[in-house]
Amino acid sequence: DGLVERQGMQPGLRKPHFNYALTAEAEQLFPKAYSTLFNQLLSVLKQRLGPKELETILGEVAHSLASGQIALENETLENRAEKALATLESMGGAPVLKNEGDKLLIRSVTSCPFDASVSQHPEVCRLAEVFLAEVTGLKIKEHCQKGDAPKSTFEIVEDK
């Protein structure tokens, strides 16, 4: 019916596993009033505030969201990365942890959990970057694909 499409593949032990995602048409079938409200709020804030003030507010939101989920300092890098994955999954994302060369990446398999906002407000990726840094206690750098079909990519750089 054109509601689901294959988007990528992950190697498995016995055979590859295919990843599937809802098409843009299917996404519209699910009510998402929260994204409309959030997008309008960001639009008003952008009209009233300068870029630095908006970034400060988004940082405060990220810190508030992360409270109670912060990794312990003695946790391994892998445990901290897994905590970030679990957090993004709880927000509706489908992230995976990838080693690409000397980089450790958290990458969305299908779509970004913030895709309804990122296409209109790319600064939301910065909010997600700060949020993941707070949750993991690590330095995170976003390399998200913005636009009509956003995909999130966050690089775990080093300890804060």
Side-chain angles (χ1 to χ4, degrees), residues 21-158:
L22 295 175
T23 62
E25 294 82 24
E27 286 284 347
Q28 299 308 312
L29 297 174
F30 298 99
K32 293 183 181 177
Y34 65 88
S35 63
T36 303
L37 177 65
F38 183 63
N39 286 336
Q40 190 58 39
L41 176 63
L42 281 176
S43 293
V44 170
L45 287 174
K46 285 164 92 170
Q47 289 173 0
R48 292 189 178 194
L49 305 173
K52 286 289 184 194
E53 290 174 296
L54 180 61
E55 186 173 331
T56 299
I57 288 172
L58 292 177
E60 289 175 24
V61 169
H63 180 72
S64 177
L65 284 171
S67 66
Q69 302 180 57
I70 298 171
L72 301 174
E73 286 187 29
N74 62 348
E75 286 187 73
T76 66
L77 179 69
E78 291 77 19
N79 286 350
R80 291 173 184 219
E82 289 295 330
K83 186 171 211 128
L85 289 180
T87 303
L88 287 175
E89 285 173 353
S90 73
M91 294 178 160
V96 294
L97 199 57
K98 297 261 186 187
N99 281 305
E100 292 186 7
D102 61 345
K103 294 181 180 180
L104 183 58
L105 302 175
I106 298 170
R107 180 167 282 163
S108 62
V109 175
T110 53
S111 64
C112 169
F114 311 107
D115 62 357
S117 298
V118 169
S119 56
Q120 295 176 38
H121 304 285
E123 54 276 351
V124 172
C125 292
R126 174 76 176 123
L127 180 148
E129 175 188 79
V130 172
F131 172 72
L132 290 173
E134 290 281 330
V135 166
T136 62
L138 301 169
K139 185 173 179 184
I140 305 289
K141 184 168 181 175
E142 69 96 353
H143 301 284
C144 299
Q145 172 185 319
K146 298 165 181 82
D148 291 336
K151 303 273 187 197
S152 56
T153 301
F154 299 97
E155 178 184 356
I156 298 175
V157 180
E158 60 189 44

